[in-house]
Amino acid sequence: MAEKHRVRFEPVGIEIDVAEDTTILRAAAEQGVMLMHGCKEGQCAACKSFILDGDDVEHDRYSTFALPDYEKEEGFTLLCRAHAYEDLTIELLNYDEEMIQSGLPIQEATAEVVSNENVTHDLRHLVVRLDEELKFFPGQYLDFAIPGTEETRSFSMANTSARDGLLEFVIKVYPDGVFSRFLDTEVAVGDRLRVTGPFGVFTLRDNPGAELVFVGGGAGMAPILSLLRSMAERGIDRKATYYYGARREADLCFHAELRELEEKLPNFRYVPALSEPGDDAWDGETGLITDVLRRAGLDLTGADAYVCGPPPMVEAALELLPALGVADKRVFYDKFTTTGEG
């Protein structure tokens, strides 16, 4: 058994035990403490924190864009890559008091493939059935193990709960991606896959009366669709708009369901936009989805914003939304990464 050390998080006053062979973020998740995080791969900096006391910390490989060397020397750390080799006190720079102690236990499970179908030329709709119950919050994700490798990939659920054990995923297929190649050429109905989770903090915060703005692209459809489906099931009638960007009309998915959600949720509006409509007989919005949002001329003061999709789109939205009035702390996002793909 690996030796364990006590890690205290300030300013929330929560303490956990962390084994030396487990990252601090993973240990927290296993103990129901939901710390802010994104990629879990040392790329996005969502879990960046500061070491107040103790210095015997080792890090798995990470991007120096997320943690530059000078920040590491000053005492900053990435909890998703950090291993504690002594007792530590860590200051959380980014945390959500509403969420931090609402974590669900991390489980490992086996899932049988029910269907694996294209919904666009590069998006796959994967449906699996779990052998056992797994609880999660809408907007969270699971890690899939790639058979025959030590690799895992993370994908968000598109549904709201594992009814009948079923889970839905919308997965982008990259030409030379490790999981993409596996999904495209090997995964068949009846196959069994190992999954671990739930992870993620891209969940709907309780903020009655606040307007909701969703901004998505590509496989960012999955967690936002989960949140919208959850709103319909729970009868949440907050004013909400979903801006979704695609290249061509053929790249839009779940279009009919989103139009139906406009009927179920009277205060909800779906705004798809095409960046390269070409010869499509398209009479909707055109341009990058952030440009569409900017042109709308909205005052989003007091609104909550949820952003999910490719990193360039997320970065553009994170710059735009505060300019439209959304408080920085009310912008929640998932930035999809492609570590090891290709």
Side-chain angles (χ1 to χ4, degrees):
M1 292 286 290
E3 186 175 350
K4 292 186 177 183
H5 304 282
R6 197 73 171 164
V7 175
R8 180 178 176 86
F9 300 112
E10 296 292 3
V12 294
I14 295 172
E15 295 186 357
I16 62 171
D17 291 317
V18 182
E20 292 180 351
D21 60 357
T22 303
T23 67
I24 295 173
L25 180 70
R26 177 59 183 254
E30 290 175 348
Q31 294 168 64
V33 177
M34 190 180 290
L35 303 178
M36 297 299 285
H37 64 279
C39 66
K40 304 199 312 300
E41 297 169 348
Q43 292 196 78
C44 74
C47 66
K48 185 183 291 184
S49 301
F50 187 79
I51 302 172
L52 293 170
D53 187 44
D55 56 16
D56 197 355
V57 178
E58 298 292 335
H59 291 83
D60 295 332
R61 188 175 63 178
Y62 61 87
S63 167
T64 53
F65 288 104
L67 182 65
D69 290 340
Y70 73 90
E71 286 191 352
K72 184 182 177 186
E73 290 173 5
E74 290 173 0
F76 290 90
T77 183
L78 298 177
L79 300 180
C80 70
R81 312 306 279 171
H83 294 261
Y85 286 89
E86 66 175 333
D87 292 351
L88 303 172
T89 301
I90 292 175
E91 180 184 7
L92 299 175
L93 305 179
N94 184 19
Y95 66 96
D96 188 326
E97 290 188 60
E98 182 183 331
M99 298 294 300
I100 197 164
Q101 299 211 65
S102 65
L104 296 169
I106 302 302
Q107 298 175 239
E108 293 187 0
T110 302
E112 180 182 350
V113 176
V114 174
S115 64
N116 177 18
E117 300 174 348
N118 288 315
V119 286
T120 71
H121 79 282
D122 64 352
L123 290 180
R124 195 66 64 86
H125 184 210
L126 176 67
V127 180
V128 302
R129 178 178 287 109
L130 295 170
D131 287 350
E132 56 204 83
E133 182 182 13
L134 185 147
K135 293 182 179 180
F136 64 92
F137 297 123
Q140 290 193 297
Y141 65 87
L142 296 182
D143 284 351
F144 279 73
I146 305 174
T149 77
E150 297 295 318
E151 302 278 353
T152 63
R153 293 294 181 270
S154 305
F155 301 108
S156 300
M157 280 74 76
N159 51 310
T160 59
S161 63
R163 289 200 183 92
D164 302 320
L166 292 177
L167 295 176
E168 294 180 58
F169 302 86
V170 182
I171 299 173
K172 182 174 175 63
V173 175
Y174 294 91
D176 297 312
V178 176
F179 189 89
S180 296
R181 186 165 53 248
F182 170 65
L183 184 65
D184 192 39
T185 63
E186 297 184 44
V187 175
V189 172
D191 285 354
R192 302 178 73 77
L193 305 173
R194 295 293 299 171
V195 297
T196 306
F199 299 103
V201 292
F202 192 74
T203 56
L204 194 65
R205 271 56 167 192
D206 186 27
N207 192 9
E211 182 176 352
L212 286 161
V213 178
F214 300 97
V215 185
M221 172 64 73
I224 293 178
L225 185 60
S226 178
L227 296 181
L228 291 170
R229 287 170 166 176
S230 174
M231 288 176 62
E233 289 177 4
R234 296 163 58 193
I236 295 175
D237 61 356
R238 292 165 64 180
K239 181 180 179 183
T241 309
Y242 181 16
Y243 294 89
Y244 181 78
R247 289 186 178 180
R248 304 292 296 269
E249 191 168 6
D251 295 319
L252 296 174
C253 57
F254 299 93
H255 192 70
E257 180 179 352
L258 287 160
R259 290 302 185 201
E260 290 175 4
L261 283 171
E262 288 182 309
E263 301 297 321
K264 294 178 182 177
L265 296 167
N267 290 322
F268 169 64
R269 191 163 64 100
Y270 168 51
V271 183
L274 304 183
S275 61
E276 300 174 13
D279 297 327
D280 294 344
W282 177 253
D283 59 1
E285 296 283 353
T286 58
L288 297 176
I289 197 62
T290 45
D291 291 339
V292 172
L293 181 56
R294 182 182 291 107
R295 288 199 305 264
L298 303 173
D299 178 2
L300 297 178
T301 302
D304 285 355
Y306 291 80
V307 184
C308 191
M313 185 217 77
V314 173
E315 293 290 351
L318 294 182
E319 182 178 340
L320 173 63
L321 287 162
L324 299 179
V326 184
D328 286 333
K329 67 179 181 179
R330 303 309 296 182
V331 180
F332 310 103
Y333 65 95
D334 258 358
K335 186 192 300 182
F336 289 168
T337 58
T338 56
T339 295
E341 298 283 26

